[in-house]
Amino acid sequence: MPAETFEFQVEARQLLQLMIHSIYSNKDVFLRELVSNASDALDKLRLEKLRDDALDADVSDLHIEIDIDKDARTLTVRDNGIGMSYDEVGQLIGTIANSGTAKFLQELREAKDEAGAEGLIGQFGVGFYSGFMVADEVTLVTRRAGEEQGTRWTSRGEGTYTLERTDDAPQGTAITLHLKPADPENQLHDYTSPWKIREIVKRYSDFITWPIRMVPETSGEDDGTPEPETLNSTKALWARPRDEVSDDEYHELYKHIGHDWREPLETIRLQAEGTFEYQALLFLPAHAPHDLFTRDFKRGVQLYVKRVFIMDDCEALLPPYLRFVKGVVDAADLSLNVSREILQQDRHIEMMRRRLTKKVLSTVKDMMAKDQERYGTFWREFGTVLKEGLVTDPENRDALLAVASFASTHHDTEPTTLKQYVERMKDGQEDIYYLTGESRQSIENSPHMEAFRERGIEVLLLTDAVDEVWADAVGEFDGKKLRSVAKGRIDLAAEGEEASGDEREQRTEEYAELLGWMKERLDEDIKEVRLSSRLTVSPACVVSDAQDLTPALENMYRAMGQEVPRAKRILELNPDHQLVKGLNRAFKEREDRTELAETAEVLHGLAVLAEGGQPKEPARFVKLMADRLERTL
Ligand code: ADP
């Protein structure tokens, strides 16, 4: 069958362009990417053979081989792993499966500096394509283990590739890079130099557990076949004594399994002895991946059993709110055939998950105590995800609350912990106050904040969707209730200052009739109209009853497909505001209250608008407002 020519998918073409024009300054890493893929292919074959002994594949000497041909200026990375079928090559190499790629490319175009661009590339595992940083043509010959026919893929990276079937491909994959012409100015990047290859492998791929061999070139005068040389130490990092492994080595392993080209924020090692033995090597990344909140985010760490790779993305080992944690867990006493379903129910795995979870949280706590800046980075990137744990993991709630921090009115930019908040609480203040909303600015300008601002009472400013849920679920911290300033009765006067009961009673009496009448007029949406002690500037605000869901929560439950009745709100009026005073006066004087009913409606609409909502009938609201404004001219 003749070679067929195909076009790269648009995104793939864009990525290739980026590689060819190499925005990445450290080109050496192409080799790490190819070795990393080869290592995965060997893992996959070993596993497939374990599960299916009948598979017609040779697993007796699994390894990676690097061949240099100085004269032809080619470099070949070969593995005898799982290989790819004809269809797989087209799917895996010609397209980019990652759904976030379009977004990635856009971000990449917008990235202002090179470091930013490098960082972005790292998030997207562009692995194989990185060969085009150093080669002007790439050939891939592969045969899937168990199949007879192989496939040859060739491309110059310029929009098209060819596919052709071949009969003489060995099992596994060989990728041959036709290197770009040598740069006489820059000998450092001569990838036909065995010295250079040795150095790159040692630096980036030493932890790979499969042997990476290099066959020295046979020069014309030599006779006999040269012995291949193994370039890496082939020992699993987590099985080596801790003091023998450098930070750099850990970081390279992280990059391999985390598909991240950047350093991790923190490396965590854990060794469990006893009846159920395991070793864990976990990493906290320094950046949240772009798809952390998408449904198909692949979570979980790699599972090994006695150094044998078993699976990627093993969800059972960490709770969903730690889905950003990367790493390896190597267990001594699990069956090699263990399935995801079994893992979900296994008692030992459950114990492991609890231990690993506590270890991650205690690491964050240490980070908080020792290195504020690092903790700050961590919380900025992953705080939102961790807060999910406040709802879903009551067992670790206290540990989570201890490492959580929040924006607050105390400081414009520095977040506060709950402990610090409590230490700053005013004499007589009993509760921890918070308000949720879209943005810091919209919360700060909310009428609900007025009395708090005036009295200098600190309020936590919560802007994540999950905030309402956890604040509701957690309820209290250190014996202090968590209270939304937009819910229930807030009576700050009772908390310390001039609690002049008489005065208030008198007022309530003064307004009693108006409040009752307004309640009737607004009955459809409002369950109560009352005087407010929250407001100092605004005429009115709406609040939720203490036990009711807030509108934001109602919407969230609805978005999740649950039926929730709409809770009626409470309208609070500011008795010191001229508009409210005037309304009360007019109410007492006038017989015809048609106009006043409209004003009451406007007042309600204003309160709804102020908290970021929409008046029920916007067009009618605008008409009523315009009408009233006109009369001021
Ligand atoms: P990634 O490794 O991030 O998935 P790549 O573009 O490097 O992205 O590779 C795409 C896919 O091609 C891999 O996921 C794998 O399925 C397949 N692949 C790449 N290299 C090899 C190889 N040496 N052997 C078998 N499959 C490979």
Side-chain angles (χ1 to χ4, degrees):
M1 200 177 76
E4 276 189 272
T5 302
F6 298 89
E7 294 215 341
F8 282 109
Q9 170 209 34
V10 180
E11 281 87 8
R13 203 157 57 221
Q14 285 175 311
L15 264 190
L16 277 164
Q17 281 305 308
L18 284 167
M19 286 299 141
I20 291 167
H21 302 293
S22 193
I23 47 169
Y24 199 71
S25 51
N26 178 10
K27 299 189 169 66
D28 292 358
V29 294
F30 80 90
L31 191 57
R32 171 181 74 195
E33 297 300 302
L34 298 184
V35 166
S36 181
N37 281 348
S39 168
D40 289 347
L42 295 167
D43 283 338
K44 281 181 201 158
L45 177 61
R46 173 167 55 182
L47 197 63
E48 200 158 307
K49 181 76 181 169
L50 268 170
R51 302 210 160 137
D52 174 16
D53 197 34
L55 180 71
D56 180 20
D58 179 9
V59 294
S60 58
D61 179 29
L62 298 179
H63 67 277
I64 299 162
E65 193 179 291
I66 301 177
D67 293 345
I68 298 171
D69 185 334
K70 260 193 187 330
D71 299 335
R73 278 196 66 71
T74 61
L75 184 70
T76 300
V77 179
R78 195 189 313 277
D79 66 72
N80 52 356
I82 191 80
M84 287 172 270
S85 68
Y86 185 90
D87 289 345
E88 279 172 335
V89 176
Q91 279 160 22
L92 296 169
I93 304 292
T95 62
I96 290 166
N98 192 326
S99 58
T101 303
K103 182 163 173 274
F104 156 64
L105 287 165
Q106 190 186 341
E107 281 176 30
L108 200 56
R109 278 191 293 270
E110 286 165 7
K112 281 169 205 76
D113 53 280
E114 253 189 30
E118 283 185 26
L120 279 168
I121 287 194
Q123 290 183 46
F124 290 85
V126 289
F128 172 75
Y129 289 127
S130 64
F132 285 98
M133 294 198 296
V134 299
D136 44 28
E137 186 179 323
V138 177
T139 312
L140 174 150
V141 177
T142 184
R143 177 164 65 83
R144 197 169 198 305
E147 290 184 7
E148 287 195 352
Q149 218 176 24
T151 307
R152 174 192 299 275
W153 177 100
T154 312
S155 178
R156 301 185 59 84
E158 287 161 348
T160 61
Y161 60 90
T162 60
L163 271 182
E164 150 184 41
R165 296 189 201 267
T166 137
D167 287 328
D168 52 4
Q171 164 192 313
T173 304
I175 290 160
T176 300
L177 306 177
H178 301 261
L179 297 168
K180 291 181 184 172
D183 179 357
E185 306 272 289
N186 197 348
Q187 295 294 330
L188 272 180
H189 291 283
D190 177 12
Y191 299 110
T192 60
S193 146
W195 173 85
K196 179 71 185 171
I197 299 302
R198 217 175 272 129
E199 187 220 49
I200 304 180
V201 169
K202 202 71 199 156
R203 162 117 48 100
Y204 294 115
S205 309
D206 194 59
F207 60 86
I208 296 284
T209 46
W210 303 104
I212 305 169
R213 297 179 191 147
M214 181 163 63
V215 188
E217 251 196 317
T218 29
S219 69
E221 296 123 49
D222 252 345
D223 42 24
T225 350
E227 276 292 299
E229 161 195 5
T230 301
L231 305 181
N232 58 329
S233 54
T234 71
K235 273 204 207 131
L237 278 196
W238 55 95
R240 282 167 55 187
R242 197 176 298 223
D243 49 7
E244 265 185 24
V245 185
S246 70
D247 285 351
D248 277 351
E249 287 180 279
Y250 282 134
H251 294 176
E252 289 310 326
L253 175 70
Y254 164 74
K255 292 174 187 174
H256 168 65
I257 56 186
H259 288 272
D260 191 348
W261 287 18
R262 296 164 293 191
E263 318 258 285
L265 197 61
E266 197 70 53
T267 304
I268 306 172
R269 270 191 75 146
L270 189 141
Q271 195 105 16
E273 318 274 330
T275 44
F276 192 75
E277 250 174 61
Y278 60 90
Q279 291 142 328
L281 184 52
L282 303 180
F283 300 96
L284 306 183
H287 304 268
H290 66 104
D291 53 352
L292 190 56
F293 290 97
T294 60
R295 189 188 302 237
D296 40 49
F297 180 74
K298 287 225 175 61
R299 69 185 183 91
V301 296
Q302 291 188 338
L303 178 66
Y304 280 69
V305 173
K306 291 199 259 331
R307 320 276 175 276
V308 177
F309 170 82
I310 302 295
M311 67 177 74
D312 266 325
D313 317 316
C314 180
E315 306 94 348
L317 295 174
L318 284 169
Y321 68 88
L322 295 181
R323 59 184 174 274
F324 54 88
V325 176
K326 302 284 180 205
V328 172
V329 172
D330 191 338
D333 294 307
L334 274 180
S335 151
L336 293 169
N337 279 316
V338 70
S339 70
R340 287 180 194 271
E341 293 68 38
I342 290 176
L343 285 172
Q344 291 293 358
Q345 297 154 13
D346 188 279
R347 197 172 54 88
H348 286 123
I349 298 290
E350 157 83 26
M351 278 164 50
M352 207 156 92
R353 177 171 60 234
R354 290 167 71 170
R355 174 102 188 263
L356 293 176
T357 304
K358 290 200 188 329
K359 181 76 184 176
V360 171
L361 295 180
S362 70
T363 304
V364 177
K365 196 169 178 192
D366 287 350
M367 205 151 76
M368 196 174 190
K370 288 192 203 123
D371 191 338
Q372 276 292 320
E373 202 182 314
R374 236 132 74 111
Y375 162 76
T377 304
F378 173 81
W379 191 260
R380 203 171 47 243
E381 297 291 320
F382 300 110
T384 312
V385 194
L386 248 71
K387 285 192 250 176
E388 294 172 13
L390 289 169
V391 185
T392 56
D393 186 4
E395 186 183 326
N396 288 303
R397 195 170 270 173
D398 290 343
L400 281 162
L401 285 174
V403 300
S405 54
F406 309 97
S408 114
T409 51
H410 177 68
H411 199 286
D412 285 346
T413 50
E414 300 280 314
T416 178
T417 63
L418 291 178
K419 188 157 166 273
Q420 292 165 335
Y421 179 104
V422 169
E423 283 162 9
R424 282 191 298 264
M425 273 168 61
K426 299 217 154 195
D427 279 349
Q429 182 185 345
E430 288 176 0
D431 302 329
I432 298 172
Y433 291 107
Y434 70 88
L435 184 55
T436 56
E438 292 274 302
S439 65
R440 179 176 180 120
Q441 204 190 4
S442 75
I443 302 178
E444 280 183 322
N445 293 332
S446 154
H448 301 115
M449 296 285 288
E450 289 172 4
F452 290 84
R453 190 176 310 119
E454 190 172 275
R455 281 160 218 251
I457 295 175
E458 183 173 350
V459 177
L460 302 176
L461 308 170
L462 308 180
T463 51
D464 287 329
V466 66
D467 284 324
E468 294 233 23
V469 192
W470 76 255
D472 216 45
V474 169
E476 61 170 60
F477 171 80
D478 194 16
K480 319 273 184 298
K481 276 209 192 71
L482 284 157
R483 286 193 64 189
S484 163
V485 308
K487 276 184 102 171
R489 267 181 205 282
I490 296 279
D491 199 351
L492 295 179
E495 297 203 352
E497 324 171 13
E498 18 112 10
S500 156
D502 285 357
E503 198 181 307
R504 257 185 295 152
E505 243 168 63
Q506 200 185 329
R507 269 203 167 145
T508 315
E509 219 164 279
E510 235 176 87
Y511 277 94
E513 261 189 86
L514 173 73
L515 299 182
W517 173 79
M518 275 180 74
K519 155 90 176 70
E520 266 169 47
R521 317 294 321 170
L522 301 169
D523 189 49
E524 241 177 76
D525 309 289
I526 290 295
K527 68 161 110 171
E528 185 186 347
V529 184
R530 68 189 181 205
L531 295 185
S532 183
S533 49
R534 294 181 155 81
L535 302 172
T536 60
V537 186
S538 304
C541 69
V542 278
V543 301
S544 293
D545 220 348
Q547 67 280 358
D548 283 344
L549 293 180
T550 58
L553 261 189
E554 279 180 9
N555 289 339
M556 194 140 99
Y557 284 123
R558 271 187 211 114
M560 293 183 325
Q562 289 185 33
E563 285 217 18
V564 271
R566 196 166 288 285
K568 284 192 195 177
R569 319 281 309 280
I570 294 163
L571 179 66
E572 289 195 351
L573 303 184
N574 177 0
D576 294 323
H577 196 282
Q578 289 307 330
L579 177 55
V580 178
K581 281 185 176 162
L583 182 63
N584 199 29
R585 219 178 308 122
F587 177 78
K588 289 187 172 156
E589 285 164 7
R590 286 191 211 163
E591 293 275 302
D592 178 4
R593 287 174 177 158
T594 333
E595 276 251 297
L596 297 182
E598 287 175 0
T599 303
E601 213 182 311
V602 169
L603 206 50
H604 175 228
L606 290 173
V608 171
L609 271 178
E611 66 158 10
Q614 257 214 11
K616 210 163 65 170
E617 291 175 67
R620 179 174 157 79
F621 177 80
V622 169
K623 187 181 158 295
L624 292 176
M625 274 297 282
D627 189 40
R628 272 150 188 76
L629 287 173
E630 193 188 305
R631 275 185 262 156
T632 66
L633 300 173

